[in-house]
Amino acid sequence: MSAGQPLPGTGRDSDTHWQRELREQFPILTADPELAYLDSAATSQKPRAVLEAVQTYLTTSNANAGRGTYPWANRTTQLVESTRERVKEFLRDPEPERSAVHFTSGTTEGLRTIARDWLVPYLGDGDEILVPFADHRAQLDPWLEARRLLAERGIDIRVRALPYQEASGDYDHRALGDLVGPRTRFVAATHVHHVYGGDMNVHRIREAVGPGVPICLDAAQSIGHLPVHLDDPALDVDFVVFSGHKAMALPGTGAVWARNARGPLFRPEGWQGTPNTVGIVSLRAALDWLHTAGPGRIARWTSGLATRLTDRLRHLGPYEILGCPSSLAADSALPASQRRHGIVTFRHRDIPSDDLGFILYSHGFMVRADSLCQAGAGERDGSVRVSLHVYNTEEEIDRLLTVLASLT
């Protein structure tokens, strides 16, 4: 794709104008246009609306939630409760009267809460669970911890690994069907892979495991990046877990959405202490901002940028693109459901990934360059990840490609 070619599937003029208006709302990015932030899979930048919402809250009604009867405390309590409903609205929850939203510090704590407080009491001796062994470590360690906690009680469960397709990094849905048995009680899956950027086709997991098995979805790389609509039958899952800091909100906040349709009700155990009220304020503002910007349009923009990068990078000899390169190519014949989103991860044949990361920063590019917190064999192999959001531009991608090409 040449430098002047429009993004695939977009109206160049309207989308470029839309994107520029959105980018202007991020003070940290407009402060130094020479720096290109390409690490949004680690954490997203924050629009002015989120920063202003936090400042307004802290300077007008900062108080604890659920622990006072004066106006500031009442407003804070109401804000926390209304944000639970806002999460459900954002996810297009088809049965909000049944479901629950629990605020956490992020995806990792959310998954551990499900493992400890919901899964452990649910499982019995001889039960089996299916979990990913090559996704983010947060999608493996909590389930292994649950097995350990059960073993301490004399309950033996089997943790089976979700199978993967070697070429693409997607789950091997055909092989998955052979692993499902009468004692399969739970499946953990990732929506968008944090290394390969692939949509992991959760609808095929539901088809393989049947209608009765609860599925927990790690949506850390999808909330805020693309539409996550639970009224879509293709997204028939029981838990959705995400981090606020990857979705335009402040660090230290996240949420667990529980459908409460399969298995016991989701009720986190123990005393619920002071919530992260500032983080919840930022999450509410972030969801409002993302809704206005349009997650579908954001996904189209970032996928277009990733295609722009992949189309050039796959023809530069020293670089290996992880995952299936053709899934992001403009000339790909793969159906849309198999395409990747705004993440491109690669290695250089001769330059170690951490060195390449330093080289890129010397040219003004902030990328992730390490093992990417990947569980399994991948955690020993470094790589460079370019992860995009709506504030990134075509010009940044073209500048990056120029630098990468000079290293061939």
Side-chain angles (χ1 to χ4, degrees):
M1 179 177 291
S2 65
Q5 189 174 345
L7 296 176
T10 67
R12 180 181 175 87
D13 291 340
S14 63
D15 276 5
T16 300
H17 178 73
W18 163 81
Q19 190 273 338
R20 286 175 179 169
E21 286 190 337
L22 295 184
R23 180 181 169 86
E24 288 298 315
Q25 298 177 37
F26 292 82
I28 194 172
L29 301 177
T30 57
D32 189 349
E34 297 304 310
L35 288 177
Y37 183 76
L38 303 173
D39 195 21
S40 291
T43 197
S44 65
Q45 297 304 330
K46 320 307 175 193
R48 190 174 292 108
V50 170
L51 303 176
E52 290 176 350
V54 168
Q55 184 178 28
T56 298
Y57 170 73
L58 289 175
T59 56
T60 63
S61 57
N62 178 41
N64 211 331
R67 289 165 174 80
T69 58
Y70 51 90
W72 291 359
N74 291 337
R75 285 201 295 270
T76 299
T77 300
Q78 193 278 330
L79 187 147
V80 170
E81 294 308 312
S82 67
T83 303
R84 296 187 203 277
E85 299 308 309
R86 187 68 185 96
V87 170
K88 295 181 183 183
E89 291 171 0
F90 189 80
L91 296 176
R92 295 202 339 203
D93 184 345
E95 295 184 279
E97 67 284 351
R98 168 188 277 186
S99 64
V101 171
H102 174 67
F103 294 116
T104 69
S105 65
T107 303
T108 300
E109 185 196 345
L111 293 170
R112 290 193 71 220
T113 300
I114 295 168
R116 293 191 313 264
D117 297 347
W118 184 88
L119 187 62
V120 167
Y122 175 53
L123 296 179
D125 197 60
D127 284 344
E128 298 181 350
I129 63 175
L130 289 161
V131 304
F133 274 65
D135 294 359
H136 198 284
R137 286 191 63 94
Q139 258 288 53
L140 175 61
D141 290 354
W143 319 122
L144 298 181
E145 181 184 9
R147 180 177 63 182
R148 178 181 60 78
L149 292 173
L150 286 163
E152 291 174 355
R153 304 178 187 184
I155 299 172
D156 182 34
I157 69 164
R158 184 175 185 182
V159 179
R160 308 190 71 171
L162 284 172
Y164 293 83
Q165 298 176 23
E166 184 174 350
S168 67
D170 192 5
Y171 299 131
D172 189 336
H173 304 92
R174 294 179 180 175
L176 173 60
D178 296 333
L179 298 178
V180 177
R183 300 304 299 271
T184 302
R185 295 288 184 263
F186 175 81
V187 177
T190 300
H191 198 187
V192 173
H193 199 280
H194 75 292
V195 176
Y196 310 118
D199 184 323
M200 304 300 279
N201 292 302
V202 181
H203 66 284
R204 295 180 183 168
I205 294 178
R206 172 57 69 200
E207 292 170 1
V209 303
V213 178
I215 297 175
C216 175
L217 188 67
D218 175 349
Q221 298 298 343
S222 55
I223 297 291
H225 297 263
L226 65 152
V228 181
H229 293 160
L230 297 171
D231 58 355
D232 183 349
L235 206 57
D236 181 13
V237 298
D238 299 270
F239 296 97
V240 173
V241 190
F242 66 96
S243 299
H245 73 95
K246 298 179 190 288
M248 307 292 187
L250 296 184
T253 188
V256 173
W257 171 89
R259 188 182 295 273
N260 286 332
R262 301 177 180 93
L265 296 180
F266 174 67
R267 292 194 181 99
E269 295 181 357
W271 175 258
Q272 300 300 306
T274 298
N276 179 2
T277 53
V278 177
I280 293 170
V281 166
S282 75
L283 180 60
R284 171 64 183 262
L287 295 181
D288 289 344
W289 190 92
L290 289 164
H291 175 76
T292 300
R297 201 170 186 183
I298 291 172
R300 189 168 70 241
W301 179 264
T302 56
S303 292
L305 293 180
T307 298
R308 193 182 193 90
L309 174 58
T310 305
D311 270 356
R312 286 271 302 278
L313 190 61
R314 65 180 178 151
H315 296 298
L316 296 179
Y319 296 97
E320 172 200 6
I321 299 175
L322 305 189
C324 179
S326 63
S327 66
L328 268 176
D331 58 358
S332 173
L334 294 173
S337 63
Q338 293 181 341
R339 295 201 176 197
R340 291 190 289 166
H341 296 282
I343 294 175
V344 180
T345 303
F346 56 88
R347 298 189 182 102
H348 192 287
R349 182 181 59 217
D350 302 314
I351 304 175
S353 295
D354 53 352
D355 291 343
L356 184 54
F358 284 116
I359 293 170
L360 291 176
Y361 181 71
S362 72
H363 291 274
F365 299 101
M366 291 175 276
V367 299
R368 179 77 176 268
D370 55 30
S371 64
L372 308 180
C373 300
Q374 187 175 11
E379 67 178 341
R380 298 189 295 271
D381 302 321
S383 55
V384 172
R385 181 181 68 187
V386 172
S387 53
L388 305 159
H389 219 307
V390 70
Y391 36 70
N392 293 119
T393 67
E394 297 168 284
E395 291 76 13
E396 289 174 335
I397 297 302
D398 292 339
R399 283 168 42 210
L400 174 64
L401 283 163
T402 298
V403 174
L404 293 173
S406 72
L407 302 175
T408 59

